[in-house]
Amino acid sequence: MTGCVRALLSRAALQALIVVTVASSAAFAAADSSPQQYAARAATPSVLQETLDAAREKSGAPGAQATIFLNGQLIWAGTSGVAGLDGSEPVTASTLFSLASVTKTYTAVLTLRLVEDGQLGLDDRVGRWLGRRVRSGVGATTVRQLLGMTSGLPDYTEAPQLARAFEDPNHRWSERELLRAIGPPRRAGRYLYSNSNYILLGAIDARAGGERVGALLARMILEPLQISDTFLDRAKLEAARFEIGRA
């Protein structure tokens, strides 16, 4: 896969997402309890573990992690399930998960940092950076529209020419085929969630920053914040820690 489409891998960020699930599930479970009873139950590690197990099973995910911090202090951490579809390895605190579409949040932050540094403009058009790499009509879209999902661009996942590639889990995606799969806007100016927006942003960021998106993200965002378990480029060492299945 190319850097602009590979999902970020992160332990810390996934934990933050699972915390929301755990907290929400625990709140529903405590609906019939008094505040005092719930406070006593919620402080029990076994209850938190049961809640995490239930949330994972309900989602259908093979594995999950959760961490709860309060005022900067670790309150509880837990894992649930397995780190592979064959069930051979349990999820541990060091297991990595794909962030899937949460990668868009990181891409947006990177894009805005490039704007802040004067390397990119919110009103720059796609055509300025990608030229004839994109189809007719796509080039007039602005970076601002891509960020806010108001470009009106159809989702590249709907492109019929990619149907066979999506059926092959080992397909090696190229930037060229993804960019050419993005059709012209249908309803520009209106909100429409489309993965195409962030495929384009990844390609633009790489050209504006003069590096691979993964390298830019590490240098401009992750390293300054001392985020060590989140990255875009997957090496063999990290791949061995990766949870296979639905994160």
Side-chain angles (χ1 to χ4, degrees), residues 26 39 113 139 153 162 177 218:
R113 278 298 311 275
L153 294 169
L162 297 185
E177 69 178 323

Side-chain angles (χ1 to χ4, degrees), residues 23-58:
S24 300
S25 300
F28 282 117
D32 296 328
S33 304
S34 68
Q36 293 79 10
Q37 291 173 324
Y38 176 61
R41 281 174 49 80
T44 306
S46 62
V47 172
L48 292 171
Q49 184 63 53
E50 291 171 6
T51 304
L52 174 60
D53 291 338
R56 179 190 59 77
E57 291 174 6
K58 184 176 182 180

Side-chain angles (χ1 to χ4, degrees), residues 49 52-54 56-57 61-66 78-83 90-92 97:
Q49 184 63 53
L52 174 60
D53 291 338
R56 179 190 59 77
E57 291 174 6
Q65 300 164 328
T79 62
S80 178
V82 296
V91 171
T92 68
F97 291 75

Side-chain angles (χ1 to χ4, degrees), residues 71-137:
N71 296 326
Q73 293 188 343
L74 175 65
I75 302 299
W76 176 82
T79 62
S80 178
V82 296
L85 295 179
D86 60 0
S88 60
E89 297 291 336
V91 171
T92 68
S94 64
T95 301
L96 296 174
F97 291 75
S98 170
L99 286 186
S101 280
V102 180
T103 305
K104 293 182 177 69
T105 303
Y106 287 88
T107 303
V109 172
L110 175 61
T111 301
L112 292 174
R113 278 298 311 275
L114 291 169
V115 170
E116 185 178 61
D117 290 351
Q119 296 173 268
L120 183 63
L122 288 175
D123 294 317
D124 284 358
R125 298 188 183 277
V126 171
R128 173 188 173 186
W129 294 101
L130 301 182
R132 295 183 179 179
R133 295 180 180 87
V134 295
R135 292 165 59 182
S136 176

Side-chain angles (χ1 to χ4, degrees), residues 128-158:
R128 173 188 173 186
W129 294 101
L130 301 182
R132 295 183 179 179
R133 295 180 180 87
V134 295
R135 292 165 59 182
S136 176
V138 176
T141 304
T142 66
V143 169
R144 188 188 305 273
Q145 290 175 316
L146 297 176
L147 284 167
M149 296 281 188
T150 58
S151 67
L153 294 169
D155 202 308
Y156 77 94
T157 60
E158 301 171 0

Side-chain angles (χ1 to χ4, degrees), residues 145-187:
Q145 290 175 316
L146 297 176
L147 284 167
M149 296 281 188
T150 58
S151 67
L153 294 169
D155 202 308
Y156 77 94
T157 60
E158 301 171 0
Q161 64 267 38
L162 297 185
R164 182 172 297 179
F166 278 118
E167 294 175 357
D168 178 8
N170 297 314
H171 180 74
R172 295 184 65 84
W173 297 93
S174 70
E175 180 186 83
R176 182 181 185 280
E177 69 178 323
L178 290 169
L179 294 181
R180 296 301 296 176
I182 299 173
R186 298 169 181 170
R187 301 170 64 185

